[in-house]
Amino acid sequence: MPKSKTEELPVIWLQGAGCTGCSVSVLNSVSPSIKNILIDEVIPGKHINLRFHPTVMAGAGEAAIEVLQETQQQKKGGYVLVMEGAIPTAKGGIHGVVGEENGKPVPIVSRLESLGANALAIIALGTCASFGGIPAAAPNPTQCLSVEEALKVARITTPVINVPGCPPHPDWFVGTLASILLFGLPKPEDLDEHGRPKAFYGTLIHENCPRRAYYDERKFAKKLSDPGCLYELGCKGPVTYADCPTRLWNHGVNWCVGSGGLCHGCVEPAFPDLVSPIYEKIAFP
Ligand code: FSX
Ligand code: SF4
Ligand code: SF4
């Protein structure tokens, strides 16, 4: 039999301060299916070897934790670290821990530093990991940081790709990973000023919204179930960059504004503090 030419990319997935919605969203990936992503080839000839994922892995306890150490040593510079959730730093990081070493809990911030320093790249998945998000909202009692902020404190320079969204669309994550497998790490010009792949976050929601004609005619909805533009009800589409109106969610079924809700700017560094209250009109930029 000819030797398999499948290339493997080891992936370690950690969860900090978040709601696990990012994992749930990715598990809902339809094309490719989550089975294709986890078990088969995500794209022809390329396989993701997901070695650690707190929610879906079968392993537990010491054996699972050992995989972290082993990957860090044996695959140095050749694995991707997916960080979901923000990084709590108050009280030595004790508000978020992953396993133990010498009988002591290991803060997620230490895991990020050790695994992050040795990774090929880090995908900060979700708005919490990318920008702090809800766990870092004022008054931020656990002193949560984004992945980039936490790495900066530790002077770690591993490339970070931000894939925000609360939660992120499965395609944004799978597409980012597939692009690394196909073309290598993104070039600076592939990312926007907030480190997000332009392929997914390059367009303003407001530009592609099917209700845009209402906006231009100043026909504003008075309540959420009305036809009309949702701007006066608090829609943040005019300050939010993502392809939700054209990509749609749930495998092309609908999206926030399409289903009568407003865009609350979940992919932006400003989320949630600076786009709150959700149901209040923003000043047009
Ligand atoms: Fe954050 Fe992930 Fe929002 Fe939740 O854990 S991006 S709270 S949808 O899911 O980090
Ligand atoms: Fe813009 Fe929101 Fe109105 Fe759509 S509903 S046109 S995104 S303000
Ligand atoms: Fe987030 Fe807005 Fe897209 Fe909804 S429409 S998922 S709130 S960016």
Side-chain angles (χ1 to χ4, degrees):
M1 269 212 7
K3 224 179 147 197
S4 159
K5 287 214 179 74
T6 304
E7 268 178 55
E8 242 185 37
L9 179 68
V11 173
I12 296 284
W13 185 311
L14 298 179
Q15 290 169 340
C19 75
T20 319
C22 307
S23 287
V24 173
S25 184
V26 171
L27 289 172
N28 278 327
S29 183
V30 175
S31 180
S33 72
I34 191 64
K35 174 182 165 288
N36 291 145
I37 297 168
L38 294 183
I39 297 169
D40 309 330
E41 294 179 345
V42 61
I43 45 175
K46 312 273 183 180
H47 170 68
I48 291 167
N49 176 4
L50 184 62
R51 297 179 155 217
F52 188 96
H53 186 297
T55 320
V56 302
M57 69 186 171
E62 245 171 72
I65 295 295
E66 273 168 20
V67 173
L68 298 179
Q69 198 73 17
E70 191 189 287
T71 306
Q72 188 179 315
Q73 283 163 359
Q74 294 174 5
K75 304 285 175 185
K76 200 170 160 59
Y79 64 91
V80 167
L81 174 65
V82 176
M83 186 67 231
E84 169 183 0
I87 315 300
T89 61
K91 297 185 185 160
I94 201 66
H95 296 293
V97 300
V98 186
E100 295 181 343
E101 254 167 39
N102 306 321
K104 288 211 175 112
V106 180
I108 190 88
V109 64
S110 310
R111 296 280 185 203
L112 171 68
E113 286 169 10
S114 52
L115 284 154
N118 292 295
L120 167 73
I122 304 168
I123 297 181
L125 182 63
T127 299
C128 304
S130 299
F131 309 125
I134 291 172
N140 193 2
T142 55
Q143 288 169 31
C144 270
L145 299 179
S146 71
V147 167
E148 278 184 322
E149 286 167 339
L151 292 174
K152 201 170 167 197
V153 172
R155 297 178 188 208
I156 292 167
T157 54
T158 308
V160 177
I161 307 161
N162 287 329
V163 180
C166 193
H169 194 297
D171 291 1
W172 300 341
F173 171 70
V174 178
T176 300
L177 209 50
S179 141
I180 295 176
L181 283 164
L182 279 168
F183 312 114
L185 294 182
K187 297 174 188 59
E189 61 268 27
D190 299 331
L191 303 176
D192 74 3
E193 57 180 327
H194 302 301
R196 307 177 289 195
K198 286 182 191 163
F200 306 115
Y201 303 91
T203 51
L204 192 62
I205 299 255
H206 187 60
E207 293 296 332
N208 293 311
C209 179
R211 298 194 191 212
R212 176 58 191 260
Y214 289 127
Y215 177 88
D216 292 339
E217 291 167 14
R218 294 290 186 264
K219 288 189 179 153
F220 296 112
K222 295 280 173 260
K223 56 181 190 312
L224 286 176
S225 53
D226 286 349
C229 166
L230 302 172
Y231 172 65
E232 298 213 315
L233 296 175
C235 184
K236 310 299 186 292
V239 291
T240 305
Y241 286 83
D243 61 9
C244 305
T246 47
R247 182 172 301 281
L248 305 177
W249 282 71
N250 298 341
H251 201 46
V253 173
N254 213 339
W255 69 296
C256 300
V257 172
S259 63
L262 37 80
C263 170
H264 51 268
C266 83
V267 295
E268 292 299 322
F271 179 82
D273 285 352
L274 300 178
V275 288
S276 295
I278 286 177
Y279 295 103
E280 243 168 57
K281 181 168 111 171
I282 42 161
F284 198 85

